[in-house]
Amino acid sequence: MEAVLRRLLVGGIPLEDEEFMTPPTSVVIARDPSVPHAPIKAQVLTMPEKRQALRNALRYIPKQYHAKLAPEFATELATYGHIYMYRFRPKAYPMKAYPISFYPASSKHAAAIMLMIMNNLDPAVAQYPHELVTYGGNGSVFSHWGQYNLVMQYLSTLTDEQTLVMCSGHPQGLFPSSPNAPRVVVTNGMVIPNYSSKEEYERMYALGVSMYGQMTAGSYAYIGPQGIVHGTTLTILNAGRKYLHCNVLSGKVFVTSGLGGMSGAQGKAARIAGAVAIIAEVSQSAITKRHNQGWVDVAFDDLAKVVQAANQARTERRAIAIAYHGNVVDLWEFLAREDTPFIPELGSDQTSLHCPFQGGYYPVGLTYEESNTMMGAEPAKFKQIVQASLCRHVAAVNAVCAKGMRFWDYGNSFLLESKRAGADILKADGTFKYPSYVQDIMGDIFSLGFGPFRWVCTSGLPSDLDTTDAIAADVIKTLSETPGLPDSLKLQYDDNYLWITQAKANGLVVGSQARILYCDAVGRSTIAQAFNAAVSSGKIGPVVISRDHHDVSGTDSPFRETSNITDGSMFCADMAVQNFVGDAFRGATWVSLHNGGGVGWGEVINGGFGMLLDGAPATSSRAAAMLSWDVDNGVARRSWSGHPYAQMVIQNEMNRQPNLTVTMPVAADDDLILSQTF
């Protein structure tokens, strides 16, 4: 297997391989029923644009193969609304993260990136693996399989004096650089602002010229639903503290929707938090996948049985994840009925409403299959049905909240798309009835500098992950015992110490041997340096460190990550762009900058990084510098907007780092402002 893997990764697009080139088009483009597939796209291109899309695809192929492949690519476009180049999807080796030593790379840093790419496309990890979609309905790694093969070939030959430039899935080429430069620079969907609309996205994606990378899909840093479990656990725990005034969620019910990609984390997170979770999901394959992984306990398609199971668990104060195979609107309307005495304490939603009309939201009244057909065949009608469904959805949520439930938007554009649909989602003053979870729950955590730090053990050994868990736990425990530590920071360290010490028992690994841990600048830097020392001593193999873009500094998103920025700058994207640039020249192995992610194309700018800890002495200093910047940039911005937690933390950081000087705000007196005449 290792020899086959090496041969195919080095070979590029396999145009001379009989295994790839012999099967007829009808066999090649027929979708494999063993995995979930992306919905068929609407035909949004004009005839001249369809011809351009075909030209764009054939650019990757030598001229002598055009006559054979042009009809096939045209058939794909006509059948699926996109050219995926299914013919070139590798079948001779399982798609997964292999140990770093398996990869035929000149640079160990390039080998680490190859590992991360293949993990993003692992069928156990990816939402629609054959369409190269990792999560979120349209969060793509590449636009088509030709790009995948070409990127792997480039990474096989890339040296530590070259940088691979990636433009929305397209490998522009290898360019001379230096050992201190990133090995890969990624941009996804960076469209001129006036053209950054959903309609333009669908057209550009069909043309093959741009791509929605979500957050960690197109930046090769997804670690499966574990990546969102920790944040969701913290959200639910802190929602309980804020709304229910309790630290223990035993006997409390949380109702939500989605078990596909990132939303698949909700059952596991609620169970870790001790709650009873009811999660609606229209896709049976998604429910089966999560049940097989142990992330869902039971599933029903009968609402009465769902409520009965939840009520029993509530009475027994037993944590459980219950999947409802059906539409979330039916669930909410059942709970809203006057003859349903069952009232959940907490509610949210994780449908992928950043792409509501292309498979991100399945409307009530249509089956899963009917929706998948209609969204491609009758997009205008489907849009109307989706918006009518959202109006019913919101009305039912409003009714359950009137009974006493607390609801929040989970950063998935639920509020925004409900408003656009004309739903009853606004208060009299024009603001939303419900808060964003960052605005109301997680914003304080970000202002304290805590966010989703991640790492992947490239050896593939569970024992290496155990060792890194122990190292991280020791660091967090030591930091939590710092004399004079403010209670607000100690609570974060204590929550995260509990998380990391229970992580293995919670069975979180799907795909690569990876872990997530919410941590601040000093914690991330200290952990990274300790990991690098362990690599240097031979205790563990090389480790990739990264983070979710949904972090302190990585994302400018007015309806999510920066929704608690109140100085009027929540729509400004300087922070995310500065983060991308700053990480690049402070030692990141690869960096990425994306349009879209979470709340949708045109609604957010976000970026991320990956860094290989290879045990070299210089790596420790680079990691410390980059990780401090990567967090402090966002804390400084939050401090400037007036958040007291951020002001406290950035002052601490200036005390810790003599070379750090941050402009601090001077607050004007409210009476003075109010006395002025304009």
Side-chain angles (χ1 to χ4, degrees):
M1 177 59 65
E2 186 176 350
V4 172
L5 179 70
R6 287 172 172 269
R7 175 177 62 82
L8 291 174
L9 291 180
V10 170
I13 301 175
L15 293 160
E16 297 181 4
D17 191 314
E18 288 188 7
E19 179 189 349
F20 286 88
M21 297 303 289
T22 301
T25 293
S26 59
V27 172
V28 167
I29 71 168
R31 287 181 160 180
D32 181 351
S34 69
V35 298
H37 290 278
I40 294 172
K41 306 292 183 186
Q43 294 292 331
V44 298
L45 300 181
T46 64
M47 186 56 68
E49 288 172 335
K50 289 179 180 179
R51 295 187 177 113
Q52 187 61 57
L54 184 57
R55 290 189 188 97
N56 291 345
L58 289 170
R59 288 184 292 189
Y60 290 89
I61 309 298
K63 195 82 169 180
Q64 64 265 35
Y65 299 101
H66 282 196
K68 175 181 175 65
L69 293 176
E72 180 169 299
F73 292 169
T75 301
E76 280 193 20
L77 184 60
T79 305
Y80 301 117
H82 188 76
I83 298 172
Y84 295 106
M85 298 194 189
Y86 284 123
R87 180 175 293 277
F88 302 126
R89 180 177 65 81
K91 304 174 188 67
Y93 56 85
M95 183 65 71
K96 64 178 185 177
Y98 292 88
I100 193 169
S101 59
F102 277 40
Y103 291 95
S106 301
S107 164
K108 186 176 289 186
H109 296 83
I113 299 169
M114 296 168 83
L115 180 157
M116 299 293 284
I117 288 171
M118 292 182 69
N119 187 68
N120 270 25
L121 295 171
D122 181 343
V125 172
Q127 185 178 14
Y128 304 127
H130 292 185
E131 287 73 52
L132 303 109
V133 172
T134 302
Y135 71 89
N138 60 350
S140 302
V141 186
F142 302 108
S143 186
H144 54 69
W145 287 103
Q147 291 175 343
Y148 165 85
N149 285 286
L150 187 53
V151 166
M152 289 306 200
Q153 183 181 44
Y154 278 146
L155 289 172
S156 296
T157 62
L158 179 144
T159 73
D160 287 338
E161 293 187 345
Q162 291 176 301
T163 293
L164 172 61
V165 175
M166 294 295 303
C167 302
S168 292
H170 167 63
Q172 188 163 298
L174 301 175
F175 291 79
S177 59
S178 74
N180 292 326
R183 298 282 65 81
V184 179
V185 174
V186 180
T187 54
N188 282 307
M190 300 309 294
V191 172
I192 303 301
N194 278 350
Y195 300 89
S196 190
S197 66
K198 286 185 175 66
E199 294 75 20
E200 286 296 331
Y201 155 71
E202 291 169 6
R203 188 181 70 84
M204 292 180 196
Y205 181 62
L207 280 167
V209 297
S210 195
M211 188 181 83
Y212 191 80
Q214 262 287 357
M215 290 189 163
T216 52
S219 66
Y220 326 140
Y222 193 61
I223 59 169
Q226 177 189 176
I228 194 65
V229 172
H230 192 11
T232 306
T233 301
L234 290 173
T235 299
I236 296 170
L237 281 173
N238 284 284
R241 289 165 179 163
K242 180 164 187 171
Y243 300 144
L244 309 178
H245 310 292
C246 64
N247 287 316
V248 179
L249 290 177
S250 301
K252 308 300 182 185
V253 178
F254 172 56
V255 175
T256 184
S257 61
L259 286 169
M262 293 180 71
S263 60
Q266 295 183 101
K268 173 71 81 171
R271 205 167 60 189
I272 291 171
V276 175
I278 301 174
I279 309 138
E281 172 57 60
V282 292
S283 169
Q284 180 61 60
S285 64
I287 293 174
T288 300
K289 182 176 183 177
R290 299 307 175 202
H291 187 263
N292 290 342
Q293 291 170 344
W295 292 42
V296 163
D297 297 303
V298 293
F300 303 100
D301 57 11
D302 183 315
L303 284 166
K305 290 181 179 178
V306 168
V307 169
Q308 181 182 15
N311 219 7
Q312 183 176 348
R314 171 190 264 173
T315 301
E316 297 170 357
R317 299 176 66 82
R318 171 171 49 89
I320 189 173
I322 303 167
Y324 166 56
H325 181 214
N327 196 282
V328 67
V329 179
D330 288 327
L331 172 59
W332 283 120
E333 289 182 340
F334 185 83
L335 296 175
R337 283 167 34 180
E338 290 185 6
D339 61 348
T340 303
F342 182 86
I343 304 171
E345 283 82 8
L346 302 171
S348 190
D349 183 86
Q350 280 199 35
T351 50
S352 296
L353 276 161
H354 64 274
C355 56
F357 315 121
Q358 286 290 322
Y361 183 90
Y362 285 81
V364 67
L366 296 178
T367 66
Y368 182 65
E369 294 74 20
E370 288 169 344
S371 289
N372 282 335
T373 298
M374 185 181 288
M375 69 181 69
E378 301 177 89
K381 182 178 179 181
F382 185 71
K383 180 177 180 179
Q384 291 177 347
I385 294 174
V386 165
Q387 292 188 324
S389 180
L390 278 169
C391 290
R392 284 177 59 181
H393 193 154
V394 170
V397 168
N398 290 345
V400 180
C401 285
K403 292 182 175 185
M405 185 188 73
R406 296 299 297 262
F407 183 90
W408 65 87
D409 175 291
Y410 212 98
N412 60 331
S413 277
F414 178 81
L415 297 176
L416 192 60
E417 288 301 329
S418 296
K419 176 184 175 182
R420 290 168 175 166
D424 182 18
I425 200 71
L426 299 178
K427 294 188 286 190
D429 63 1
T431 60
F432 289 119
K433 288 184 176 181
Y434 306 109
S436 157
Y437 79 114
V438 173
Q439 176 186 0
D440 216 35
I441 302 169
M442 293 294 286
D444 285 353
I445 293 176
F446 284 166
S447 290
L448 287 165
F450 283 78
F453 182 53
R454 299 173 171 183
W455 62 89
V456 175
C457 297
T458 67
S459 67
L461 297 174
S463 58
D464 276 10
L465 186 58
D466 292 345
T467 301
T468 58
D469 283 352
I471 291 171
D474 285 345
V475 170
I476 296 300
K477 185 170 179 59
T478 299
L479 291 173
S480 73
E481 295 171 349
T482 303
L485 189 70
D487 290 344
S488 55
L489 290 173
K490 182 169 175 53
L491 178 63
Q492 297 305 315
Y493 285 130
D494 289 346
D495 279 351
N496 287 289
Y497 179 75
L498 185 64
W499 165 268
I500 195 65
T501 54
Q502 295 181 347
K504 182 177 182 179
N506 283 324
L508 298 165
V509 171
V510 177
S512 60
Q513 292 295 315
R515 188 67 75 223
I516 182 171
L517 175 67
Y518 268 57
C519 212
D520 58 357
V522 64
R524 298 185 204 197
S525 299
T526 307
I527 290 170
Q529 289 174 303
F531 286 175
N532 196 60
V535 175
S536 180
S537 68
K539 193 174 183 179
I540 57 174
V543 175
V544 168
I545 57 171
S546 184
R547 60 162 170 76
D548 195 349
H549 299 195
H550 167 63
D551 196 11
V552 182
S553 301
T555 299
D556 284 296
S557 179
F559 298 103
R560 199 163 82 170
E561 284 81 358
T562 47
S563 59
N564 69 329
I565 300 292
T566 57
D567 64 354
S569 70
M570 67 285 289
F571 295 98
C572 301
D574 303 83
M575 179 178 73
V577 176
Q578 289 281 0
N579 228 67
F580 163 79
V581 175
D583 286 349
F585 64 70
R586 285 179 174 85
T589 304
W590 74 97
V591 290
S592 63
L593 186 67
H594 301 184
N595 170 19
V599 297
W601 182 275
E603 305 288 353
V604 50
I605 298 295
N606 65 90
F609 74 87
M611 184 177 189
L612 181 68
L613 303 177
D614 56 7
T619 301
S620 284
S621 58
R622 286 201 298 267
M626 190 201 69
L627 291 168
S628 293
W629 154 257
D630 191 68
V631 175
D632 288 345
N633 170 45
V635 177
R637 189 266 179 94
R638 294 168 193 277
S639 165
W640 184 245
S641 77
H643 201 291
Y645 280 157
Q647 291 171 4
M648 173 191 72
V649 169
I650 204 64
Q651 187 61 61
N652 291 345
E653 283 294 279
M654 285 192 280
N655 295 337
R656 184 175 74 90
Q657 301 177 72
N659 287 340
L660 177 64
T661 302
V662 171
T663 306
M664 299 297 289
V666 178
D669 184 80
D670 284 346
D671 290 339
L672 175 64
I673 299 297
L674 293 172
S675 68
Q676 303 306 304
T677 302
F678 296 96

